[in-house]
Amino acid sequence: VNITAFCTIIGQDSKTYVPRGTPIVIVWGWSAKTETQINDYLENNITIVTLDGKVIDGIQFGGIQKNEKSGDPEVVWYSEVGVLIPGEHTITYDVKWKKMIDDGTSTYGPGSKNETEHDECQIIVE
């Protein structure tokens, strides 16, 4: 099952319930109005995703692609974390930027409306 590394910043519940024995893939990404803005993100973001306090590495999926719903360009990463033991597991998602960037809707990074992004989500393995 795919679970996003961020939840509340996109209006989802902080908890995701997963049946015991289900393999889990953690997914995160970025979208913007133009490929130039995506490239600015790629050059200037510092993203750290953790699972239960341990940093997880993401594999970029397919380079810059078009979002199926919006048609906007996006980049996506994933990390196969496998089957987790029953109980509560915490994902943290933290992003900061080396300089201010724009995604066509808002600004991010030093001096912007969104200097950093942070979210914390729980996976509940039943």
Side-chain angles (χ1 to χ4, degrees):
V1 66
N2 289 347
I3 297 177
T4 57
F6 43 84
C7 51
T8 63
I9 59 177
I10 58 170
Q12 293 181 347
D13 194 299
S14 66
K15 295 184 181 191
T16 300
Y17 294 87
V18 177
R20 180 185 307 233
T22 303
I24 295 170
V25 178
I26 298 175
V27 180
W28 63 96
W30 186 261
S31 65
K33 295 295 179 189
T34 69
E35 284 195 24
T36 299
Q37 292 165 333
I38 292 286
N39 285 322
D40 278 350
Y41 174 81
L42 291 171
E43 292 171 12
N44 292 291
N45 87 92
I46 301 166
T47 300
I48 298 172
V49 179
T50 68
L51 175 62
D52 295 333
K54 295 181 183 170
V55 174
I56 58 173
D57 292 322
I59 298 168
Q60 191 175 349
F61 180 79
I64 298 174
Q65 46 198 313
K66 295 280 184 200
N67 179 285
E68 291 177 10
K69 292 180 185 172
S70 69
D72 290 339
E74 69 178 2
V75 284
V76 177
W77 290 267
Y78 69 94
S79 181
E80 296 178 358
V81 296
V83 175
L84 300 178
I85 62 170
E88 183 172 301
H89 301 274
T90 301
I91 302 169
T92 61
Y93 172 80
D94 288 288
V95 186
K96 61 184 180 179
W97 291 267
K98 298 174 195 168
K99 69 171 195 169
M100 188 187 311
I101 67 164
D102 187 325
D103 69 356
T105 305
S106 192
T107 56
Y108 300 84
S112 74
K113 291 187 222 175
N114 308 288
E115 293 206 356
T116 62
E117 281 196 336
H118 170 79
D119 210 347
E120 191 169 296
C121 312
Q122 285 75 41
I123 301 170
I124 312 296
V125 178
E126 302 179 299

